[in-house]
Amino acid sequence: MIKIQNLHKNFNNVEVLKGINLDIKKGEVVAIIGPSGTGKSTLLRCMNFLERPDKGIIEIDDLKIDVEKVTKNQIHQLRTYTSMVFQSYNLFKNKTAIQNIIEPLITVKGINKNEAKEIAIDILKEVGLSDKKDFYPSKLSGGQQQRVAIGRTMAVNPKIMLFDEPTSALDPELVGEVLNVIKKLAYQKTTMIIVTHEMKFAKDVADRIIFMDGGNIIEQGPPDKIYNYAENPRTIKFLKQVQLE
Ligand code: ADP
Ligand code: MG
């Protein structure tokens, strides 16, 4: 259902994505691991045109984009198909928890305000924040803010959810509550790509682990295979390093 072919991205003549090929099935949970600076965020950002890729094809269901010939309509459609959760939450600071969830329902989905409100109430329940619905982000913990941010992406019901290190800005004691919400989505067979440094979490939720290094996918497979029987020396070296941390 999702197919990325030969995706390239340069920043200032430095090639950051060197021809990524990636197929993801509906309901599949894919975790991307790898050293920093290897293009993991750039790959996710290219998947909804927060960064414009230079070359390649992005296909999601009926939408097929040749990135060199992309149209405005295609970018809009792509952004209804993919939705991203950032490390830094990216909530509207002047909107309450519920308003943050209502907003994309109205602007992206074109749903009317009353209906959007009902959907938002259900979603706040799912992320365990019913009692915080009228709180502004500044009155919420990092973990709660990130759960609102996840609620925002759930609201638009994307075909794929993209998580970019969703817990790396959190204090350690708040990581679990966020991972649990993501786990719940995984059990519900939400199609997801999760960039993460949480190795145990990745093993628990992912159907497939992808190791990226230097703008390429180096190795991929089921968690057990990658963690215990990696074949590429770069994968093995990276795993040794993170397991020592
Ligand atoms: P990762 O998420 O794996 O840590 P990134 O995708 O953030 O890596 O970055 C890959 C490389 O691209 C890095 O060298 C980074 O400095 C560079 N880069 C990322 N975003 C930009 C940008 N907007 N402008 C210039 N260089 C960038
Ligand atoms: Mg990153």
Side-chain angles (χ1 to χ4, degrees), residues 52-182:
R52 197 183 169 127
D54 299 317
K55 197 176 145 186
I57 293 177
I58 298 174
E59 203 175 336
I60 302 179
D61 284 352
D62 58 328
L63 175 66
K64 185 170 182 175
I65 297 178
D66 177 339
V67 305
E68 290 172 280
K69 299 179 194 146
V70 69
T71 65
K72 262 194 177 157
N73 277 345
Q74 285 180 317
I75 292 177
H76 179 79
Q77 197 179 351
L78 182 68
R79 288 184 179 150
T80 67
Y81 282 13
T82 66
S83 190
M84 184 138 156
V85 174
F86 302 88
Q87 187 177 331
S88 51
Y89 331 133
N90 285 22
L91 296 177
F92 293 110
K93 297 201 173 5
N94 60 342
K95 290 186 194 289
T96 61
I98 192 164
Q99 287 166 346
N100 263 284
I101 295 174
I102 288 173
E103 191 271 347
L105 286 168
I106 295 173
T107 59
V108 180
K109 285 291 204 181
I111 290 172
N112 75 52
K113 211 168 172 180
N114 285 338
E115 201 183 327
K117 199 172 164 186
E118 276 175 34
I119 296 171
I121 286 171
D122 285 346
I123 284 177
L124 281 165
K125 199 167 159 191
E126 283 218 39
V127 298
L129 289 173
S130 297
D131 56 334
K132 299 283 189 282
K133 79 178 180 45
D134 297 320
F135 282 48
Y136 286 91
S138 61
K139 303 285 179 222
L140 298 172
S141 72
Q144 290 166 341
Q145 288 182 64
Q146 191 61 305
R147 284 188 279 146
V148 175
I150 294 171
R152 270 175 69 89
T153 64
M154 287 162 65
V156 297
N157 196 19
K159 290 184 189 288
I160 181 161
M161 288 178 73
L162 309 171
F163 293 83
D164 193 4
E165 298 193 24
T167 59
S168 57
L170 297 174
D171 291 332
E173 72 271 21
L174 302 177
V175 168
E177 65 189 64
V178 171
L179 294 184
N180 283 338
V181 170
I182 302 173

Side-chain angles (χ1 to χ4, degrees), residues 212-229:
M212 260 181 87
D213 196 10
N216 287 307
I217 292 176
I218 304 293
E219 191 166 358
Q220 54 183 308
D224 177 54
K225 172 161 184 296
I226 297 298
Y227 283 26
N228 299 314
Y229 307 99

Side-chain angles (χ1 to χ4, degrees), residues 33-35 199 209 211 219 223-245:
I33 60 170
M199 303 301 286
I209 307 272
F211 173 66
E219 191 166 358
D224 177 54
K225 172 161 184 296
I226 297 298
Y227 283 26
N228 299 314
Y229 307 99
E231 283 166 11
N232 190 293
R234 283 154 86 178
T235 319
I236 296 168
K237 185 168 168 238
F238 175 77
L239 288 168
K240 267 199 187 127
Q241 278 167 354
V242 291
Q243 275 151 13
L244 289 175
E245 276 167 11

Side-chain angles (χ1 to χ4, degrees), residues 1-2 22-33 44 47 159-164 166 178-196 198-211 220-224 226-227:
M1 63 133 353
I2 292 164
L22 182 59
D23 281 339
I24 297 174
K25 289 198 272 299
K26 192 172 160 56
E28 195 178 9
V29 177
V30 172
I32 302 182
I33 60 170
L44 294 194
M47 284 186 69
K159 290 184 189 288
I160 181 161
M161 288 178 73
L162 309 171
F163 293 83
D164 193 4
V178 171
L179 294 184
N180 283 338
V181 170
I182 302 173
K183 266 186 194 163
K184 203 159 104 182
L185 291 168
Y187 296 143
Q188 293 164 358
K189 292 279 167 214
T190 309
T191 314
M192 302 194 266
I193 301 179
I194 310 166
V195 172
T196 185
E198 299 281 342
M199 303 301 286
K200 184 176 177 304
F201 165 72
K203 190 176 182 178
D204 289 347
V205 296
D207 300 304
R208 176 165 35 134
I209 307 272
I210 290 180
F211 173 66
Q220 54 183 308
D224 177 54
I226 297 298
Y227 283 26

